[in-house]
Amino acid sequence: MDHDQFIERVTQYIKRTKTVDEGERKLEEFKKILTYLPGHYDEDASFIKLDEAIHESEEERGIEMGKRHRVFYMALPPSVFIPVAKGLKKNVYAKEGLNRIVIEKPFGQDSASSAHLAKELATCFTEEETFRIDHYLGKEMVKNVMMVRFANIFFSQIWNRMNIDNIQITFKEPFGTEGRGGYFDEFGIIRDVIQNHLLQVLSLIAMERPVGTDAESIRDEKVKVLKCISPISIDDVLLGQYVGANGKPGYLEDDTIKNKDSLTPTFAALVLHVQNERWEGVPFILKAGKALNEAKVEVRIQFRNVAGNLYKNAARNELVMRVQPDEAVYIKFNNKQPGLSYQTIQTELDLTYHSRYSDLSIPDAYESLILDVLRNDHSNFVRDDELEAAWKIFTPLLHKIDAHDKDIHITNYEYGSRGPMELDAFVKKYGYDRSNINYNWPIQSVAPQKN
Ligand code: BG6
């Protein structure tokens, strides 16, 4: 690329939120602060050129010594993480300011490769300088989990095995690998989404109350709870791969998938068991799939049945935190049918963000996380010991899948469907009660029911 092609590439998706003129003016200002410098990942000369370019810019802007901070963002293929980190440390590391390095997943493929990466990176950058990005931690509703749990007395009292029956964390995408097959086929849905994004959400839901809201207190609790989760058992797994349907190509028909016999899962439902006093016996069901019927990410906490059975039709309460689309927190709730009837109807206490908050403007996850890097706030980044604990849970299962172990079964599901046909029976086995499936949301009829 040359400079102009680079500018074109990085600005093509920028949204102009203000009036057209102001938008254009801001865009032009932004372009002026961009510099493009091509180079090689493994060549000192390229890094030296980068160092000189940054130095020149610092001089031009008259930045004081001691304040010449540098943030390096490695959005790179994982195979070059280590050479680039070494090249940066040797040639570009700031001597007159602070250094920070941001790394994008994948952080290895399993426990061993992740430990190797961590060890090599640690020779270049300290843990304090390292920011491992998991963009789910920058999502508004994920950042809200701690607030909902620890700032509301009624939740803090019932957040345990005595009251909660099962918890589901679901990720659904309505498109397949389309064009990203090269990367995806090597990683699969568990490494792509579950081991990182969904597990991060789980740790926020399951952890104990931290002693404070600072980064280390929060991350200490996340590590502790991850250590209570035993490696996933093959009996607690449902895997799938999508096939063509409704005019859409199947996974193996994607041109970017080179191995036409690939057994990489594009769907997985896994059950994690948190073995501690709070959660013993409560299954955490993590589900993720590509090429499904809708786009949705949510946490669904299903409570136990009310003891005593006074009202026959009372369904189980559920607390749902919808991460996307349309952020919402709602509770499925039993209510007397308004009017003369004494029927129970299921309804909801609903906090849908766009109807509750006016002038709602939620920053993109990356926007919020990059700001955290500049502010040196590690709370929403993954710590080294957290990563180690996370890989321990998944590595034995992943190795079995990679080795096509005889106990691994991958079922097909159609592009655009809800996933493998076995899914409903699978979640039912872990206690999820779908008996309230027929209820309508958000407007309900309260006309008397016919007997
Ligand atoms: C990425 C995965 O980390 O997250 C993708 O590599 C996935 O496969 C994406 O599509 C989902 O992110 P979001 O923010 O669109 O939910």
Side-chain angles (χ1 to χ4, degrees):
M1 268 187 293
D2 61 21
H3 183 268
D4 291 344
Q5 286 166 328
F6 172 74
I7 298 283
E8 167 64 25
R9 187 163 159 176
V10 297
T11 55
Q12 62 186 320
Y13 300 112
I14 291 181
K15 292 180 204 136
R16 277 77 145 170
T17 44
K18 302 273 163 48
T19 58
V20 178
D21 281 354
E22 201 190 335
E24 288 305 324
R25 189 177 55 72
K26 292 214 160 201
L27 188 60
E28 288 311 312
E29 270 173 28
F30 179 61
K31 285 182 183 171
K32 283 200 202 114
I33 60 168
L34 299 178
T35 308
Y36 173 69
L37 206 78
H40 295 281
Y41 294 140
D42 54 357
E43 194 184 82
D44 280 340
S46 300
F47 288 102
I48 292 171
K49 225 164 69 177
L50 174 63
D51 184 57
E52 286 165 1
I54 301 175
H55 182 72
E56 214 173 284
S57 155
E58 288 163 345
E59 288 285 307
E60 255 172 46
R61 288 177 293 138
I63 302 189
E64 267 176 61
M65 290 296 179
K67 289 196 174 165
R68 296 191 166 187
H69 311 314
R70 295 180 179 183
V71 173
F72 306 106
Y73 194 119
M74 295 210 293
L76 295 172
S79 55
V80 299
F81 280 171
I82 296 171
V84 171
K86 289 189 170 166
L88 290 171
K89 179 64 197 264
K90 184 170 168 204
N91 304 296
V92 204
Y93 193 80
K95 292 170 194 68
E96 287 299 335
L98 301 167
N99 289 277
R100 284 175 200 151
I101 188 153
V102 186
I103 313 174
E104 280 271 356
K105 74 162 213 296
F107 311 121
Q109 295 251 35
D110 57 9
S111 293
S113 52
S114 171
H116 172 70
L117 180 65
K119 195 169 144 232
E120 292 290 318
L121 290 176
T123 62
C124 306
F125 294 90
T126 63
E127 185 60 24
E128 176 67 24
E129 290 170 336
T130 307
F131 290 77
R132 293 176 201 82
I133 265 201
D134 183 311
H135 78 285
Y136 266 59
L137 292 176
K139 292 192 186 268
E140 182 64 28
M141 193 52 72
V142 177
K143 292 194 289 188
N144 192 31
V145 170
M146 276 184 58
M147 190 76 81
V148 166
R149 284 191 59 190
F150 301 121
N152 292 299
I153 192 162
F154 42 91
F155 285 134
S156 56
Q157 299 305 307
I158 60 173
W159 210 264
N160 55 42
R161 62 196 295 269
M162 307 299 286
N163 300 287
I164 293 177
D165 191 275
N166 60 79
I167 296 181
Q168 292 187 67
I169 304 175
T170 307
F171 167 101
K172 294 173 87 176
E173 263 181 358
F175 45 83
T177 41
E178 285 125 70
R180 280 180 81 228
Y183 152 81
F184 190 88
D185 202 45
E186 206 185 318
F187 287 87
I189 194 75
I190 301 177
R191 290 186 176 99
D192 188 40
V193 172
I194 303 186
Q195 183 270 351
N196 33 60
H197 304 330
L198 300 196
L199 190 69
Q200 282 295 332
V201 176
L202 180 150
S203 56
L204 289 165
I205 296 282
M207 72 185 194
E208 296 300 313
R209 177 192 291 269
V211 290
T213 54
D214 59 288
E216 296 325 319
S217 302
I218 295 171
R219 300 194 301 177
D220 285 348
E221 290 308 330
K222 286 166 84 181
V223 174
K224 255 196 245 164
V225 76
L226 290 177
K227 286 184 174 169
C228 296
I229 304 175
S230 43
I232 300 163
S233 151
I234 190 77
D235 301 329
D236 288 331
V237 172
L238 174 67
L239 300 173
Q241 189 184 78
Y242 65 90
V243 293
N246 314 312
K248 296 285 194 176
Y251 179 67
L252 300 178
E253 287 143 25
D254 184 330
D255 290 340
T256 52
I257 306 289
K258 297 293 171 237
N259 173 9
K260 295 297 171 196
D261 298 318
S262 170
L263 290 173
T264 299
T266 60
F267 176 97
L270 316 172
V271 181
L272 275 59
H273 304 279
V274 184
Q275 276 145 350
N276 64 13
E277 207 178 356
R278 183 183 293 279
W279 295 118
E280 178 89 39
V282 179
F284 284 75
I285 308 166
L286 307 189
K287 298 179 294 175
K290 301 242 168 213
L292 297 178
N293 60 332
E294 60 182 336
K296 189 164 78 179
V297 177
E298 66 171 31
V299 178
R300 184 173 295 265
I301 297 175
Q302 189 173 65
F303 292 88
R304 287 183 182 277
N305 293 327
V306 174
N309 198 17
L310 198 55
Y311 297 104
K312 273 202 304 294
N313 297 327
R316 285 182 172 177
N317 293 125
E318 286 182 6
L319 166 67
V320 181
M321 298 184 77
R322 191 165 63 223
V323 176
Q324 63 194 39
D326 296 334
E327 292 82 356
V329 182
Y330 60 92
I331 297 175
K332 289 198 178 180
F333 176 84
N334 293 303
N335 202 33
K336 178 187 156 316
Q337 181 165 349
L340 295 176
S341 158
Y342 277 90
Q343 291 273 359
T344 314
I345 56 166
Q346 201 187 12
T347 189
E348 67 286 324
L349 298 175
D350 168 24
L351 173 61
T352 294
Y353 277 26
H354 69 75
S355 38
R356 184 67 179 112
Y357 300 122
S358 60
D359 307 324
L360 186 67
S361 157
I362 295 179
D364 180 76
Y366 278 100
E367 208 175 326
S368 123
L369 292 174
I370 290 170
L371 186 61
D372 286 349
V373 174
L374 300 178
R375 290 175 171 162
N376 199 27
D377 183 350
H378 282 83
S379 328
N380 291 316
F381 293 82
V382 184
R383 204 166 67 185
D384 51 357
D385 51 348
E386 199 178 342
L387 192 58
E388 191 186 333
W391 276 120
K392 267 195 189 151
I393 301 169
F394 288 87
T395 294
L397 172 68
L398 288 167
H399 282 175
K400 282 198 167 165
I401 297 175
D402 295 345
H404 306 150
D405 187 283
K406 61 174 179 16
D407 294 333
I408 298 286
H409 302 287
I410 301 194
T411 52
N412 289 338
Y413 62 96
E414 288 191 353
Y415 196 122
S417 66
R418 290 179 55 239
M421 307 263 270
E422 297 86 342
L423 180 61
D424 288 344
F426 181 84
V427 291
K428 192 167 171 203
K429 189 170 101 186
Y430 294 96
Y432 182 62
D433 181 353
R434 273 187 114 215
S435 59
N436 45 35
I437 194 69
N438 290 328
Y439 107 117
N440 296 321
W441 194 77
I443 303 289
Q444 290 175 277
S445 156
V446 292
Q449 289 176 5
K450 295 190 185 87
N451 286 317

